[in-house]
Amino acid sequence: KYQGFNKDVINSLDASTDEMMDMLENPKSEEPFSRRGLVIGDVQSGKTSTYTALINKAADAGYRIIILLTGTIEKLRRQTQQRLDAGLDSTAFSRNQNQISVGVGEINPLLSGWAVTSTSSDFNTKAAQQLSGKLSGITDPVLFVLKKNKSVLEKLEQWLRAFNTMP
């Protein structure tokens, strides 16, 4: 979705996110690696568009687990989740445990990723358990939009250690 951006803005966003992707490791590499990123900018400077484009490119390149940390306020986390849902190919879990398509997934259900968090819920173990098996068994990208909150991050870490990829 172009969200009303003109061609020059889209080309600039494409070029800058390509540069960022060049700094990442190959997700299909056999060698372990760790990469983290930070998007900083003024209010209304295009941060959300930048990290949405970067997340999409990372998913296309083969990154399967994507964790986006927001501020500490739930309202802002929900806003970020909503904006990412609109800009990503994803399937989210609703509170009643049904899968629902959001964003590009509404247009083409064959394009998909998984959003473990939603506009109604930060990470919780019960919602995460709905994923079929371990993350290693899921080929589509999995997105977590989390507040920088100690208890939420600890729950995610415990879930990853118990059921997924962390040693």
Side-chain angles (χ1 to χ4, degrees), residues 26-69:
N26 181 350
K28 297 173 181 161
S29 171
E30 296 294 320
E31 297 296 317
F33 64 89
S34 177
R35 284 289 190 265
R36 293 163 187 84
L38 177 65
V39 176
I40 298 174
D42 294 324
V43 173
Q44 298 296 311
S45 64
K47 293 181 299 294
T48 303
S49 298
T50 299
Y51 60 69
T52 299
L54 187 61
I55 288 170
N56 274 299
K57 286 184 178 190
D60 289 347
Y63 279 88
R64 290 188 5 263
I65 300 170
I66 300 167
I67 301 171
L68 175 66
L69 298 177

Side-chain angles (χ1 to χ4, degrees), residues 26 42 54 82 88 99 129 156:
N26 181 350
D42 294 324
L54 187 61
Q82 184 177 24
L88 298 174
Q99 295 178 13
Q129 297 297 20
L156 175 62

